[in-house]
Amino acid sequence: MASSDSYSMVKRLFVLGTTTSAFCSGGLLFTSYMHTPAYVKNSSDESLLNQWQTMGAIGKVVVPPLALIASGANFLNSYLTHTQPQHYRFMAAGVLCLAILPYTFIALAPTNAELQSRKEKKENTSDYRPRDLDVRELINRWSNASAVRGFLLLASTIVSYDAMVHLTF
C-alpha cells in the first residue's frame, strides 16, 4: 500500500473512531449531568425507575457497538502506523474505548441490580448492594458511575486526536 493510500485509510479510520467515541461520550455525559439530575429533581420514584429502565435499554443497544467500532478503528490505525511512535497513542485510544465495557459490568452492576430489583419490587438482593439508599440516591450513584464511561470515551477521542496531529507519512 502506498504511503498516500495508508494515510487516506488512517484519516478515514480516525474520523470513524473519533466520531463514534465523541458521540457516545456526549450522550453519556449529557445523560449523567443534564438529563438525570432533571428527572431526579422532578419525578416520582416510580417514574425515575421507568426512566432509568428506558435509558438503560437504549444504552445497551447503542453504546457497546459504537464503542467496539471506535476501538476497532483505533486498533486498525495502530496497526497501520506501527512504524511510528504514535501507534501507541492509537492503541491507548482503542483500550480506552474498550474499557467502558468491563467498567460497566464491574462498577454499575450492583446499582443496576438494585434498581432492577426495586423496579420489579423484589427484596431478595445480596448484602453488598446499597439497601439503605432511596431510589433518587441510587439513580444519582448510577449517573455518576455512568459519567466515568463518558470521560473514558472523551479521553479516547483526545488521545486519538493527539496521535493524528503528530502523525507523519
Side-chain angles (χ1 to χ4, degrees):
M1 190 180 288
S3 177
S4 64
D5 292 340
S6 292
Y7 186 65
S8 177
M9 178 64 82
V10 168
K11 286 193 305 187
R12 287 186 188 110
L13 289 168
F14 165 76
V15 169
L16 177 65
T18 56
T19 302
T20 53
S21 60
F23 174 78
C24 287
S25 174
L28 289 168
L29 292 173
F30 175 81
T31 298
S32 292
Y33 293 118
M34 302 288 281
H35 185 92
T36 303
Y39 272 103
V40 167
K41 184 177 178 183
N42 299 313
S43 297
S44 67
D45 285 357
E46 187 175 336
S47 180
L48 280 172
L49 289 170
N50 287 334
Q51 277 299 321
W52 165 81
Q53 192 171 36
T54 302
M55 287 187 295
I58 293 169
K60 286 177 188 174
V61 171
V62 173
V63 176
L66 291 178
L68 290 173
I69 289 169
S71 184
N74 282 305
F75 286 140
L76 281 171
N77 269 346
S78 177
Y79 173 75
L80 291 172
T81 60
H82 69 279
T83 59
Q84 299 188 31
Q86 288 76 14
H87 84 280
Y88 290 113
R89 292 176 182 160
F90 283 122
M91 192 179 298
V95 169
L96 286 166
C97 283
L98 274 184
I100 71 163
L101 300 175
Y103 176 82
T104 300
F105 292 115
I106 294 168
L108 291 174
T111 307
N112 282 340
E114 177 66 25
L115 287 165
Q116 186 62 36
S117 73
R118 294 209 184 173
K119 175 73 175 139
E120 296 170 356
K121 297 188 182 359
K122 292 182 179 177
E123 295 298 327
N124 57 352
T125 58
S126 301
D127 292 333
Y128 72 92
R129 295 201 180 117
R131 299 295 304 163
D132 57 335
L133 299 177
D134 70 357
V135 171
R136 293 175 193 288
E137 291 168 338
L138 285 168
I139 296 286
N140 281 328
R141 176 181 281 183
W142 175 85
S143 179
N144 291 334
S146 184
V148 172
R149 298 181 302 167
F151 285 117
L152 286 169
L153 288 166
L154 181 60
S156 171
T157 303
I158 292 167
V159 169
S160 181
Y161 181 76
D162 183 55
M164 194 65 182
V165 166
H166 293 96
L167 199 61
T168 57
F169 269 91

